[in-house]
Amino acid sequence: MTRICVIVAASYLCLAMATVTGADPIRWRLLSDNRGYQGPALQTGVTYEWGWPPDNPGDVIPGTDKPGRRLLDGELPTSNWHTTVGFNWHGKDNWVTFDFKQRYAFAKVRLCFFRTLPKYVEVLGAGELAADDEQTQWTSLGKLGDVQPGWNEILLPDMPQARYLKLLLKLEPGQTCLREVQIIGTKPNEAAPQPPPVKRRGGKLVLAEAGRAYCSVVADENGSQQAVNAAWMLKNALEAMTGAEIPIFDVRERPGGARLVVGNNALARRLGVDVAQQYPGAEGFVIKTVGDDIVLAGNEAGSYQGTQDAVAQFLRTLGCGWFAEDPLWQPIPKRNVVAVAPLDIVSHPAISMRHIWYVPKAVARNWGLGGDQVASAHNQLYMFPPKQYFAEHPEYYALIDGKRTAEGEWQLCTTNPEVIALTVEKARQAFDKNPNLVAFSLTNNDCGGFCQCPKCQAVRKGEGNPNARAMLAYANAVARGLRKTHPDARVCFLAYWYTQAAPGPDMKAEPGVVVMVVDEGCKAHALDDPACERNAKWCRNFQAWAATGAEMAIYEWYIPGCSDKRWLKLPWVSGEAAVRNIRWWIAHGVKWITYESQASYSPALPLGWPLYYVAARAMWDPSLSARQILAEACHSLYGPAAEEMLAYYLTLEHAVSNTKLHSTIWALPDPAQIYDEQVQAQCRKHLARALAAAAGAPDPKVWQRVSAEVQNWRLAEQTLNPPGE
């Protein structure tokens, strides 16, 4: 079999922990980690080889034009399943071999799995490789038989030494499994690093200066994976920023000097920081200076990412940013000195679920997205698939024109007692299976076809939208039944299309009912814009829904290219309109927000980062203005060109928000009328000035980013001004 080798940049991490046998602490290194905080490529400084398939056009070996290779990583790793390790293409065992260039003593292998799981994983070691790999003397170092979703550990007793490690994955044909790999060990007889001394300047704590570290990162190596990963992220970013080697210690070592304490661990608690770990509720983080230490810790219960949020916010204040998966759009500024004034930050998000579709996890986790898990998707088809139920129970389905049907446009017969009882049971099973689930979806199918049986018709009679009356009555019945066994659980449905208009004032929601109202207003203007009657009408309808007493959520449309495909090639900066909308929603009781940004309809990152980034940051902290959010981002991305790039984005924002044109739910106004010749000229002017300023930037990536936006705008102008018109 042909071997392909990849050499990638070094990313070493020192950790301390107790030995497997409980002896004195030993120095450890993270020898291999494919979780790329500056992109998904493997950052190990080792060569690695794989069994199948033999190429990957998505990666390039650094310093060459040859195709590289990646392990599964990213939000949708199966999108390139045919070019990833961990997919069993040929029905044989899959394998990955790591060449560490010298002998190491290995302690453990951490593996993260998803979707389908291998039957087992075996770790093999060798001192040398034969010319024919089948002749290599591989020794079994450890095996994992009971593989679980998420993170697994394989401990390697007695610290075996080897130069090569092989992971052997036993998969069924066609299965994918492997997402992240971490190999932990130490150089034989390696001495532990000494903690750096404390240094202050003008009341600020110096973290690094002139390539020398004056701090260390401290984490609980046996604590949460989130906290450990956040500690690695912090170390890597500070090293890239300063050129200093920042040591990492385990909490049990108690190093001296200035310490960045990551996670809600024992040391953080001794320093007086103890973040409540509860879910749902109390989401947030603390960043606090205590003497010579800075604690960065958050609520990690359930699906919360509080410690990750704390580290991301801390690095953001130092000028770091994440605006796309491409490392070019993940700026880390170069600093001769990094000094931090005393901090005392306690931060909680204003919105309890902050979700934007198709923002990659590598980006979303640093934007503060996440929070509660609230299900709202169309679900009646999946709860009651006709192939399973219709033949024996046609009465479960809508009566339309005298006939029960589950074809074409149809809904459930939501007053049927068995439908209600089965729905309650399905909801109970969902909550039992996923303890992080806050609300179970009851949303009707994405069409009409509501039931006309006498019981349903009786519910539908009265003031307001009959379809909304039917859905609210159904949700009330399910909530009452669910409350008997799951008193804190909620059910949710979309107020959308046929159910958009609210029911009459006589209908009230049971406790535990969530109504997620789709924003079918005008996308050009803010909801509180007095000149936009479409938005005023939408707001009145939203308030009618809120008057039912239901808990309120929002489903926002950020799919500018859905109807007018020209918008796929054009930037859209909602800006202050987005912030004003979020503030309006919060003032009217909204707790959860999801933004639909379907990949086929919306500008991809980085073209779309100003649209999505403003919304993400404002959902956490709506006191920020869009200008503040964009200015901070521009400073991080564009350095000396920041002011002109900010002016460019604000020109785009004002062109949309100041238009007298209005839009429908799926379509922004005609872009040629919004971005007219005057706007185009202003954009060209700002971009030209930005390009000139970027040419003198010390970091060549600044010029590359500005150039990318210049190219985006050239494409936009070609779209706005097609030849022959």
Side-chain angles (χ1 to χ4, degrees), residues 179-314:
R179 181 162 185 168
E180 297 178 27
V181 178
Q182 297 168 355
I183 300 173
I184 297 170
T186 183
K187 292 180 180 178
N189 303 316
E190 181 177 20
Q194 296 301 308
V198 176
K199 185 173 184 178
R200 292 185 175 275
R201 175 178 292 175
K204 294 183 177 181
L205 189 67
V206 176
L207 305 185
E209 183 174 7
R212 183 181 180 186
Y214 290 97
C215 72
S216 59
V217 175
V218 179
D220 186 348
E221 202 280 338
N222 293 326
S224 73
Q225 192 66 46
Q226 178 188 153
V228 173
N229 286 344
W232 298 344
M233 173 183 173
L234 180 59
K235 170 196 167 66
N236 291 343
L238 289 175
E239 289 184 341
M241 185 182 300
T242 65
E245 182 175 354
I246 310 293
I248 287 192
F249 295 92
D250 181 75
V251 292
R252 283 164 286 277
E253 285 193 296
R254 300 188 180 184
R259 301 172 294 187
L260 303 177
V261 182
V262 179
N264 198 57
N265 53 50
L267 177 55
R269 290 189 288 274
R270 287 200 298 271
L271 293 171
V273 176
D274 190 3
V275 180
Q277 304 293 303
Q278 63 184 70
Y279 180 91
E283 183 184 10
F285 62 81
V286 171
I287 304 175
K288 185 176 180 63
T289 301
V290 183
D292 295 332
D293 301 313
I294 301 175
V295 179
L296 304 100
N299 185 353
E300 301 177 22
S303 58
Y304 293 157
Q305 298 288 313
T307 297
Q308 173 70 34
D309 293 331
V311 170
Q313 176 59 27
F314 181 74

Side-chain angles (χ1 to χ4, degrees), residues 414-415 451 453-474 476 503 506-507:
T414 53
T415 58
C451 186
C453 78
K455 284 187 177 181
C456 286
Q457 288 293 74
V459 171
R460 291 162 58 87
K461 288 181 180 178
E463 294 184 56
N465 179 4
N467 302 324
R469 295 179 68 89
M471 279 303 302
L472 183 54
Y474 175 47
N476 283 344
D506 61 309
M507 289 205 72

